[in-house]
Amino acid sequence: MAPHAETDDGFSNGTEHISATTTHKDLFVVNSPNVVYTDGEIKSRYTYLTTSVSQNVDGKYVATPRETVYNFKVERKVGKVGMMLVGWGGNNGSTVTAGIIANRRGLVWDTREGQRTANYYGSVVMGSTMKLGTEAKTGKEINIPFHDVLPM
């Protein structure tokens, strides 16, 4: 949030935002020898297992297990984050921004069918795709619009 938008009580723009001075309590912890918690960071070790498949000169497939180890480090104190929307005047940037603001403020309006409230359903349903499966011949992923899965 921009410094000029903050108020003394931690509320801004008519919405109830938690003040930056509020301490965050962990909702859960991971009990694993691959995860280490400190006051300042969380370190984790992840082993990605996959199989590399090749074909030899006889046309026989050869499957070779592969293992890649990743080490992640996450700071526990999240700094202030800003976002620049390039080309904000376009449909995507302005629609996303308006949706975020409408949901943050809990906007409500009257229609012929009754009162409506802001939600993210339209963005999720109309703007998302889901994996239907994999094309048998090429192995290419087939994704379809989410709104085509169920009648809406």
Side-chain angles (χ1 to χ4, degrees):
M1 180 182 315
H4 64 276
E6 294 177 6
T7 60
D8 293 337
D9 60 2
F11 298 98
S12 163
N13 298 328
T15 60
E16 298 182 19
H17 293 289
I18 299 172
S19 173
T21 58
T22 304
T23 58
H24 178 267
K25 300 200 185 237
D26 292 329
L27 183 60
F28 69 94
V29 295
V30 177
N31 184 15
S32 168
N34 295 325
V35 179
V36 176
Y37 290 89
T38 66
D39 288 339
E41 60 195 18
I42 302 170
K43 293 181 182 178
S44 62
R45 182 176 185 265
Y46 175 73
T47 305
Y48 176 70
L49 303 173
T50 188
T51 303
S52 175
V53 180
S54 61
Q55 197 171 20
N56 64 17
V57 292
D58 300 333
K60 192 176 197 178
Y61 288 107
V62 178
T64 307
R66 299 280 185 217
E67 183 176 298
T68 306
V69 177
Y70 293 99
N71 291 301
F72 296 100
K73 181 176 83 171
V74 178
E75 300 292 327
R76 294 189 84 167
K77 184 176 192 270
V78 179
K80 289 188 177 189
V81 178
M83 177 174 56
M84 180 176 85
L85 293 173
V86 177
W88 184 84
N91 289 339
N92 293 337
S94 57
T95 302
V96 167
T97 304
I100 291 169
I101 292 170
N103 282 281
R104 183 184 294 165
R105 293 185 178 181
L107 293 183
V108 178
W109 63 94
D110 292 319
T111 68
R112 282 183 261 171
E113 292 84 24
Q115 216 174 46
R116 302 281 184 183
T117 60
N119 61 51
Y120 289 105
Y121 303 145
S123 296
V124 171
V125 170
M126 298 307 288
S128 301
T129 61
M130 66 173 276
K131 181 179 175 182
L132 179 64
T134 306
E135 189 176 334
K137 291 181 182 177
T138 64
K140 180 182 171 188
E141 285 187 2
I142 305 297
N143 295 292
I144 61 172
F146 190 77
H147 63 82
D148 287 344
V149 176
L150 295 172
M152 305 213 177

